[in-house]
Amino acid sequence: MNERATPQDFRTLTDIREESEDVGRNASANPTMGDIINRRYSRRGFMAGSLGVTAIAATVSPLALLAAGEARAMTTSAFSFDEVEAGVDEMHHVAAGYDADILLRWGDKVFADSPDFDPMNQTAAAQARQFGYNNDYIGFIPLDGSSERGLLVVNHEYTNAELMFPNWATVVTEVQEKDGVKKDVQKVKMGEYTPELIGIEMMAHGGTVIEISRTDGKWAPVLDSAYNRRITVETPMTLSGPVAGSDRVKTKADPTGTQVFGTLNNCAGGVTPWGTYLMAEENFHGYFTGDVAENDPQAAAYKRYGVPGGWYNWGQFHDRFDVTKEPNEPNRFGWVVEVDPFDANSTPRKRTALGRTKHEGAESIVNKDGRVVFYCGDDERFDYVYKFVTAGAYNAADRAANMDLLDQGTLHVARFDADGTVQWLPLVHGEGPLTAENGFKDQADVLIEARRAGDVLGATKMDRPEDVQPNPKTGKVYVMLTNNTRRKDDQVDAANPRANNAFGHIIEITETDGDFASTTSTWDVLLKCGDPSVAEVGATFSPATTANGWFGMPDNCAIDADGRLWVSTDGNSQKATGRTDGLWAVDTDGDARGTSKLFFRVPVGAEMCGPLFTPNDETLFLAVQHPGDEGLATFEAPATRWPDFQDGMPTRPSVVVVTKQGGGRIA
Ligand code: FEO
Ligand code: CA
Ligand code: CA
Ligand code: CA
């Protein structure tokens, strides 16, 4: 994670991300659980459509499938749709009886006067007026309470240059030597960067606010809406809360430590009860380059966050991304950004009271006492789960009164104890070990180094916490733990019970007496993920789960208006699990608890993000991120040309909108 990466080497961003985020790579010689699964699926090679499904079904004994069918008939699932067959091909697939339409693609117009998408001649100026790349979080903010007209807010997490730029990346052969044996390995070699290409990358990051409406059953963007907005790496923002003005966030461009340009790596996020849009800054370290001396006063703090990660070489043309030239700039990223989508000219605020981590998302709930509770995962192996409780109460009658609620409150980090309790430990300067003697001279230090604060408080090291989602219907909170193949046998604990956890798990927290602000909760494991028919995996899907219904690597999730759980995944593939990523419906209650069903699956190479339902549960928005990004994928040769399937048109990350044919709830 902390080793220096050279931007223009032979690795694509996917390679770097996989190494960094541990999507099933392990340098040890021991066969991993992933290897065991891989052996099952790699025999079949790449299969399309129903042929692939048949082959997958054949790996599970007919007896097991029969048992699943019988078990399903005997249980009471909250879901009635007909399950999609798992597999891998170039298309997306949704359950029968539902439409899955493309709503917005990378390069689509966000404004009536945006230039048409011209991938062969893309410019930074055009990209700044068009829908960005790699859509991740999706929020829907109803206009006048409607489920058919509202503001769609979408994060654009990162860019894949090799898939975006024509005549740029090439497939080359590299000689690799391992154990004295040389072999030819084919790799994607990135091209040369120019200021214009980096400008396109920067404008393709950030977020989009766009009005959408449903007419005659079909959703479409409203391009002349005054709400429409692009947020990018250059959008001026304010640092607010306890870190504002700290010496550690002052730079040459901002000697006050209060004004930041832009946001990046916005993964998941949230919509607050008062209708603002939260963009979580995740892998910010990857955008910094430069050299850090061992005696640099920030060396240890950088290292805890993997700065400089060197995934992008923006620092080549923009000094602020070179830590040698601007050592405090990394402290200005890793926050939760709040955007008022009802004012396209408003200045987004980085809410430092929520701490600086690799924030996956920031989902919230109004507590019974009116305070608002935000749940955040810090997505890295062995990092922590947090919750922030506002000091003030939410005022449903006065939106303006809520607009600075996120500046005051208490951030807590979770310690999952073996007795089934969670202790939420406050990150408050002066309390416990968070003192000057331990290098925290004030609350700004505690928040800038939230990870180290969690370390000294004794928080539980988790298997990569992603979305953390409260369920207002049941008082439960779901924690997606995507995977961690670096956990060793002697590092297993009650809440992270599998060594070499290739497929992740889901924890269910119960807040005491429905009090989401409680500092003591209880917890249970809802699911250990992976193929339940492979005993070594130790997956715990219910017996009613079919061969299509199980999944690995939970990432984002949604709770629908009925309180039902839907889980999207990141990291399933032909090689890893014999299936693409997708959206699975998971029963949490009654005799069907732990039963999972596949509702939607993405095209090859893509990841499934952003599941989000309208308040009436009749529309589901889904984000298909990095389609075609598998194997030796380039602009010229992606693994799929989804969604346009036109020669010369690249593969395009897109928002998909799912509705029931003939109308009605998604059930
Ligand atoms: Fe951007 Fe944690 O996934
Ligand atoms: Ca994610
Ligand atoms: Ca979510
Ligand atoms: Ca992920």
Side-chain angles (χ1 to χ4, degrees), residues 313-381:
N313 58 359
W314 296 357
Q316 188 181 344
F317 303 107
H318 300 269
D319 286 355
R320 65 182 174 123
F321 292 108
D322 181 340
V323 295
T324 320
K325 295 172 180 158
E326 197 56 276
N328 282 340
E329 189 74 3
N331 294 336
R332 294 144 64 86
F333 294 87
W335 305 106
V336 171
V337 183
E338 184 175 22
V339 179
D340 182 0
F342 290 100
D343 178 0
N345 296 312
S346 60
T347 304
R349 292 175 181 271
K350 297 202 177 190
R351 298 294 185 181
T352 63
L354 278 73
R356 176 169 168 266
T357 72
K358 294 180 186 174
H359 281 287
E360 172 71 17
E363 301 278 11
S364 61
I365 190 159
V366 178
N367 198 34
K368 54 189 179 184
D369 62 8
R371 290 181 293 168
V372 190
V373 181
F374 292 79
Y375 292 90
C376 298
D378 181 358
D379 181 9
E380 192 161 328
R381 290 175 293 252

Side-chain angles (χ1 to χ4, degrees), residues 376-420:
C376 298
D378 181 358
D379 181 9
E380 192 161 328
R381 290 175 293 252
F382 303 112
D383 259 294
Y384 307 134
V385 172
Y386 297 80
K387 84 172 170 188
F388 176 79
V389 183
T390 60
Y394 167 62
N395 183 341
D398 182 2
R399 182 169 189 257
N402 304 310
M403 294 306 270
D404 286 317
L405 272 181
L406 284 175
D407 277 347
Q408 286 180 347
T410 306
L411 182 65
H412 305 78
V413 66
R415 192 185 75 211
F416 293 82
D417 289 341
D419 65 359

Side-chain angles (χ1 to χ4, degrees), residues 17 21 136 157-158 265-268 282-283 358-360 379-380 464-467 482 555-556 570 607 609 625:
R17 275 167 50 94
E21 296 195 328
D136 195 306
E157 187 185 15
Y158 69 101
N265 213 268
N266 307 95
C267 190
E282 195 191 26
N283 290 305
K358 294 180 186 174
H359 281 287
E360 172 71 17
D379 181 9
E380 192 161 328
R464 289 188 57 204
E466 300 249 28
D467 237 353
T482 203
D555 187 331
N556 297 127
D570 169 16
E607 156 184 355
C609 305
Q625 200 187 57

